[in-house]
Amino acid sequence: MDLNLTPGEVAFRDEFRAWLEANVPKDWAEWREKPLEESFPYLRAWQRKLQEGGWAAVSWPKEYGGRGATLMQQAIFWEEMARLEAPPMANALGLGLIGPTIIAYGTDAQKKRFIPKILSAQEIWCQGFSEPNAGSDLAALQTEARRDNGYYVVNGQKVWTSYGWVGDWCELVVRTDPTVPKHKGLTVLLVDMKSPGVEVRPLRQMTGESEFNEIFFRDVRVAVENVLGKVNDGWNVAVSTLMHERGAYGARLIPIFKRNINRLIELSRKIQRHGQPAAQDPVLRQKLAQCYAEVEIMRLNQLRAFSRITATGAPGPEGSIQKLFWSELNQRLQQLAQEMLGPYGQLLASDPRAVDQGLWSYGYLRSRGNTIEAGTSEIQRNIIGHFVLGLPRSY
Amino acid sequence: MQFGLNESQEFLRDSARKFFAAECPIAEVRRLMETDTAFDADLWSKLSEQGYTGIIFPEEFGGVGLGIVELVLLMEEAGRALLPGPFFSTVVFAGSLLDSLATKEQRRKYLAPICRGEARSTVAFCEPQGSWDLADVHLTATNGKLNGEKLFVPDAAVADWILVAARNGVFLVDSKAPGIGIERMHGMDLTRRLYSVQFEGTPAEKLGEIAGLARPRAIATVALAAEMVGGMQRTLDITVEYAKTRKQFGKPIGMFQAVQHQCADMYLETESARSAVYYAAWALQHNAPDAAAAVSIAKLYLSDASRSVGNRGIQVHGGMGFTWESDLHLYYRRAKASETALGDATFHRERLARLTIDARAVSAEKA
């Protein structure tokens, strides 16, 4: 056990920190509150800049334009991004989830065709997994693809698609064989979102925004060379994407959670409660300390998981532990912010009296989705029960 | 950065696990908890043969010279086995206190016999108000003599020396000294006995200043938390095994999600607890700037999580979990005793608040 950064990790951090200090756009603060539709070209340009510096996909192997960064270096990467308040990258799903899946399962031609444009944000990717009748039970999905000579003809509907409105390409899971057990008849297709028959509709969520979309496919023709992995092996390909989703994502959240709890502590010194600063209120002190401790434990769990993955060589079900922990912790953190802010907690960004431009009212509503998106807490507990503890499957 | 165990740490953990499985099976725990003191001289000499009684102490006093990370690995295994008797009070708390506070001569006289397994000791801290706050220590030595009362002193009846926290220093008292009265307190944990200790003009030898308590107390806190992790892990293992074999409605109960999810939460809490403890041990060993916070984070999390795991484990066992025959209540009792020892969750949240909320306010004012 050695929790100091290695010389290699220090060098990585220092190099990236220096690069960020020279390159982080100074005007991000003016853009960050604008709707994503407006700021998207800005975020594309920022990603291109990172790519030119060789920083867009540090986790990818060098031959694909990455740096072959270790898990710990990836954690350092996100910590530095958060520390300097760098804008996010436009092609988040392409870089984080879909690119790595194409690198793992794609043909040489597919890698050559897609990988460079994922890196440069020339082509934005979205993920067509969930359906109205296939949420937690993802393998029950019904969007079908019939073979027609050199093409698959796709019909069906996807839902909860992030970046659907701006997506150029979609990693789409379809049913290619309805006659076999549900996990065995699935295939992953790489679909051009400009194909005839693709219709994207906004899905308005409880925060009032439309982060997600519904996508309808009507007789959409996809060339067979756009099958990712083997036909009818789509479940394994999709699970690989989901593992990326649950695994490394936690590391990106840690600096954000740290910033939020530190901000709450700062606020507690200014806000008055029972005639004294909230920081002196015995009950709120207890809750702040508890939350501070849990954010730290989230960080420690992540570091331990990284060491375990590095030792065993493969991400396992520990991603479920992280997902479960951070999603429920964020709900507790946001509720604590509400308790501290009292009636001001409810004020939206549009109200001039809102604290921190409505950050906390938004955070409270948005966090309600955390225990549902990317695998519900119930599903994560099922995964821990079955795959970690060896309990019999419940379904 | 590497948060895994190295080979020698894994070896220590594995050999400790084997040792406790062979020498301290649960039947032995149950036998000892029916005795007067829950202490067994044979088991004690075996612990010392392994070098466990000197694990973190310098070789010049007969110790093994390992670090705090190694200590917590050993304590985790001791907790898994529910090791009865004065190991925690003697080696972890009193031993660390002597090691960091006493003069070389005193260490030769008092620490070396502990390392050799020849002597036992304990620390007397709490007073009648039951507080673990240094500010609530009122006992004061006058002219080298103690008068007053200490409560919740673990294993005092089998200790050769009692180390006493007083207002004007930490003192060592011979347990057979004149004017000393040791009486059993009847606590929930049957495997670790608590006592009240009365002093009436009892002669006491000063070891050092009260401020010197901070580090040994931090070591004891993280080691106790490690022992709690071991108990949680054992409770989880027993419960998962039961959920796989116990059948209702024609199926193993572990097939039902209501039961699975209890087990998943037990796992989450146990792993999170382990992360907190390992980090605190490493931070203490390396004098990291956040070591004090890390210790409180570990103890506040463990104090709540070990109780929670015990509750879930018993719940999954149903009626069986409520019987005397089930081992779960033995761990549940230990968890409750350890929850309050060295400060409960509320105590450590307040301590963490002082370190984070207040300390930063101070530095912000300065800046």
Side-chain angles (χ1 to χ4, degrees):
Chain A
M1 196 181 293
D2 183 3
L3 299 172
N4 290 312
L5 295 184
T6 64
E9 287 160 359
V10 171
F12 179 92
R13 182 198 64 193
D14 291 348
E15 188 186 350
F16 185 48
R17 189 177 287 180
W19 186 89
L20 274 181
E21 277 164 1
N23 290 282
V24 165
K26 305 283 179 274
D27 57 349
W28 169 232
E30 299 158 32
W31 286 87
R32 73 186 316 159
E33 302 306 327
K34 294 184 187 184
L36 207 51
E37 288 86 342
E38 232 174 285
S39 63
F40 210 78
Y42 184 97
L43 301 181
R44 275 189 202 253
W46 166 233
Q47 184 179 327
R48 256 196 309 282
K49 203 166 189 181
L50 277 157
Q51 186 217 355
E52 285 157 18
W55 296 105
V58 293
S59 66
W60 293 13
K62 285 195 179 112
E63 51 185 307
Y64 298 107
R67 285 181 182 245
T70 63
L71 289 166
M72 212 56 78
Q73 287 171 332
Q74 293 172 46
I76 292 167
F77 176 88
W78 294 111
E79 208 172 309
E80 290 302 312
M81 287 281 278
R83 207 177 63 85
L84 284 155
E85 305 208 359
M89 286 185 268
N91 209 2
L93 298 184
L95 293 167
L97 313 180
I98 298 159
T101 311
I102 293 176
I103 289 172
Y105 286 93
T107 62
D108 288 341
Q110 286 171 339
K111 291 180 200 171
K112 215 169 151 191
R113 162 67 188 81
F114 294 114
I115 291 294
K117 291 185 176 175
I118 290 178
L119 272 175
S120 63
Q122 271 170 283
E123 288 174 351
I124 302 300
W125 281 74
C126 61
Q127 205 186 335
F129 280 43
S130 295
E131 295 182 5
N133 290 314
S136 289
D137 186 8
L138 182 61
L141 61 88
Q142 291 163 333
T143 295
E144 58 152 29
R146 265 181 305 103
R147 182 75 186 256
D148 178 18
N149 295 318
Y151 290 87
Y152 280 98
V153 181
V154 179
N155 279 287
Q157 181 192 350
K158 293 289 175 179
V159 74
W160 297 116
T161 308
S162 316
Y163 297 93
W165 58 277
V166 72
D168 300 293
W169 286 83
C170 180
E171 180 192 0
L172 186 70
V173 193
V174 294
R175 184 163 304 284
T176 36
D177 187 349
T179 66
V180 292
K182 60 184 180 179
H183 292 83
K184 295 187 174 152
L186 303 178
T187 300
V188 171
L189 299 177
L190 307 176
V191 180
D192 185 342
M193 292 289 281
K194 288 170 208 73
S195 312
V198 176
E199 187 197 342
V200 180
R201 291 184 202 162
L203 176 63
R204 199 165 182 216
Q205 67 211 44
M206 67 183 264
T207 57
E209 316 156 284
S210 297
E211 260 179 89
F212 306 98
N213 297 91
E214 293 180 290
I215 315 180
F216 296 82
F217 298 88
R218 285 189 197 86
D219 294 326
V220 176
R221 295 179 76 77
V222 182
V224 290
E225 55 263 32
N226 285 352
V227 170
L228 183 63
K230 294 195 188 93
V231 172
N232 294 330
D233 190 37
W235 181 249
N236 287 322
V237 180
V239 164
S240 154
T241 304
L242 293 176
M243 286 288 195
H244 284 289
E245 187 172 30
R246 283 167 203 157
Y249 192 63
R252 301 175 53 171
L253 295 175
I254 290 162
I256 298 167
F257 278 46
K258 287 257 170 197
R259 195 163 64 199
N260 284 344
I261 182 64
N262 287 336
R263 176 73 188 133
L264 277 187
I265 289 174
E266 230 174 87
L267 280 173
S268 75
R269 301 193 187 111
K270 295 178 194 150
I271 291 167
Q272 293 290 308
R273 268 285 163 276
H274 312 299
Q276 59 183 353
Q280 300 309 317
D281 180 90
V283 174
L284 285 171
R285 281 170 76 77
Q286 286 279 314
K287 292 188 177 183
L288 282 166
Q290 180 70 29
C291 195
Y292 183 94
E294 290 179 13
V295 171
E296 174 65 359
I297 290 172
M298 168 182 167
R299 178 180 82 93
L300 299 172
N301 279 345
Q302 183 74 64
L303 294 180
R304 265 182 77 224
F306 278 177
S307 291
R308 204 159 44 218
I309 295 168
T310 307
T312 60
E318 52 273 276
S320 289
I321 296 155
Q322 280 303 95
K323 169 70 209 328
L324 192 54
F325 197 96
W326 75 251
S327 58
E328 297 188 349
L329 169 56
N330 198 32
Q331 291 175 353
R332 290 192 290 272
L333 186 150
Q334 295 296 341
Q335 170 55 24
L336 172 56
Q338 290 292 318
E339 270 179 71
M340 218 164 73
L341 296 171
Y344 287 91
Q346 67 194 304
L347 294 179
L348 302 172
S350 51
D351 192 290
R353 289 184 178 81
V355 177
D356 292 336
Q357 292 84 46
L359 178 76
W360 303 105
S361 58
Y362 174 79
Y364 177 74
L365 291 174
R366 184 63 189 82
S367 73
R368 193 59 278 269
N370 291 163
T371 49
I372 298 164
E373 60 197 315
T376 62
S377 290
E378 287 73 18
I379 286 292
Q380 310 300 348
R381 286 188 170 91
N382 290 344
I383 291 172
I384 295 169
H386 179 65
F387 290 99
V388 179
L389 300 176
L391 293 168
R393 259 185 193 284
S394 61
Y395 47 88
Chain B
M1 188 184 284
Q2 206 280 100
F3 208 154
L5 303 180
N6 64 31
E7 259 177 52
S8 63
Q9 287 166 340
E10 279 179 1
F11 179 80
L12 173 85
R13 181 197 59 195
D14 295 347
S15 57
R17 190 171 299 174
K18 277 186 209 131
F19 171 83
F20 288 118
E23 304 299 339
C24 185
I26 201 73
E28 180 66 2
V29 175
R30 282 181 178 267
R31 184 186 74 78
L32 283 172
M33 78 188 194
E34 301 296 342
T35 64
D36 271 353
T37 58
F39 167 72
D40 182 84
D42 278 350
L43 180 56
W44 193 259
S45 59
K46 284 173 186 160
L47 287 166
S48 116
E49 279 162 28
Q50 296 293 315
Y52 294 159
T53 49
I55 179 163
I56 52 171
F57 306 123
E59 288 171 38
E60 63 168 312
F61 304 111
V64 186
L66 293 175
I68 298 167
V69 174
E70 284 77 13
L71 173 68
V72 303
L73 295 175
L74 176 64
M75 287 304 287
E76 194 179 332
E77 295 308 319
R80 182 194 289 258
L82 202 65
L83 175 69
F87 188 81
F88 171 76
S89 40
T90 298
V91 176
V92 177
F93 205 176
S96 307
L97 188 49
L98 286 164
D99 188 32
S100 62
L101 208 60
T103 64
K104 204 164 197 175
E105 198 184 322
Q106 286 170 327
R107 283 191 281 174
R108 222 170 269 137
K109 197 167 158 195
Y110 302 118
L111 183 60
I114 287 176
C115 292
R116 292 195 298 268
E118 293 165 6
R120 287 163 305 280
S121 185
T122 188
V123 179
F125 189 96
C126 283
E127 296 183 7
Q129 71 269 54
S131 164
W132 284 95
D133 198 329
L134 263 180
D136 290 325
V137 169
H138 296 291
L139 189 80
T140 309
T142 334
N143 302 325
K145 291 206 165 59
L146 292 173
N147 284 289
E149 187 181 35
K150 290 285 187 182
L151 299 184
F152 307 103
V153 183
D155 306 302
V158 294
D160 297 278
W161 308 299
I162 299 173
L163 313 186
V164 184
R167 236 182 154 62
N168 51 348
V170 179
F171 293 83
L172 181 141
V173 173
D174 191 306
S175 61
K176 288 167 197 70
I180 201 164
I182 299 173
E183 267 178 60
R184 181 161 169 203
M185 296 175 76
H186 297 266
M188 254 187 228
D189 182 6
L190 307 172
T191 60
R192 181 174 286 154
R193 294 290 152 79
L194 295 173
Y195 300 86
S196 69
V197 183
Q198 327 283 331
F199 305 103
E200 233 185 277
T202 312
E205 175 182 350
K206 186 164 180 174
L207 293 172
E209 296 310 320
I210 192 86
L213 250 174
R215 185 166 173 86
R217 182 178 160 142
I219 294 171
T221 304
V222 74
L224 184 68
E227 191 189 72
M228 295 163 89
V229 173
M232 290 166 79
Q233 183 67 53
R234 183 73 189 125
T235 300
L236 170 63
D237 292 346
I238 295 172
T239 302
V240 168
E241 200 43 48
Y242 186 78
K244 285 177 186 170
T245 47
R246 165 75 175 172
K247 283 188 179 164
Q248 286 291 274
F249 307 102
K251 292 171 183 160
I253 59 169
M255 191 178 260
F256 300 111
Q257 291 190 0
V259 172
Q260 275 191 6
H261 291 188
Q262 291 273 22
C263 295
D265 283 332
M266 290 169 78
Y267 178 77
L268 180 84
E269 288 164 340
T270 305
E271 282 299 317
S272 300
R274 190 173 276 130
S275 299
V277 166
Y278 285 6
Y279 179 71
W282 185 88
L284 263 185
Q285 179 68 47
H286 294 86
N287 294 310
D290 62 343
V295 170
S296 276
I297 287 171
K299 187 58 167 65
L300 76 85
Y301 190 79
L302 262 296
S303 289
D304 285 337
S306 64
R307 182 185 65 247
S308 166
V309 162
N311 278 324
R312 294 180 199 277
I314 291 174
Q315 186 66 28
V316 168
H317 276 72
M320 192 62 214
F322 192 60
T323 63
W324 188 265
E325 176 194 343
S326 162
D327 294 331
L328 289 180
H329 74 99
L330 305 181
Y331 288 91
Y332 195 67
R333 288 160 179 270
R334 171 72 68 84
K336 179 50 84 182
S338 300
E339 177 182 333
T340 58
L342 291 160
D344 61 7
T346 306
F347 176 94
H348 282 281
R349 280 191 288 262
E350 174 55 26
R351 186 166 174 268
L352 183 62
R354 288 179 197 176
L355 290 167
T356 54
I357 305 175
D358 302 344
R360 275 194 229 158
V362 170
S363 64
E365 275 163 28
K366 274 185 198 156

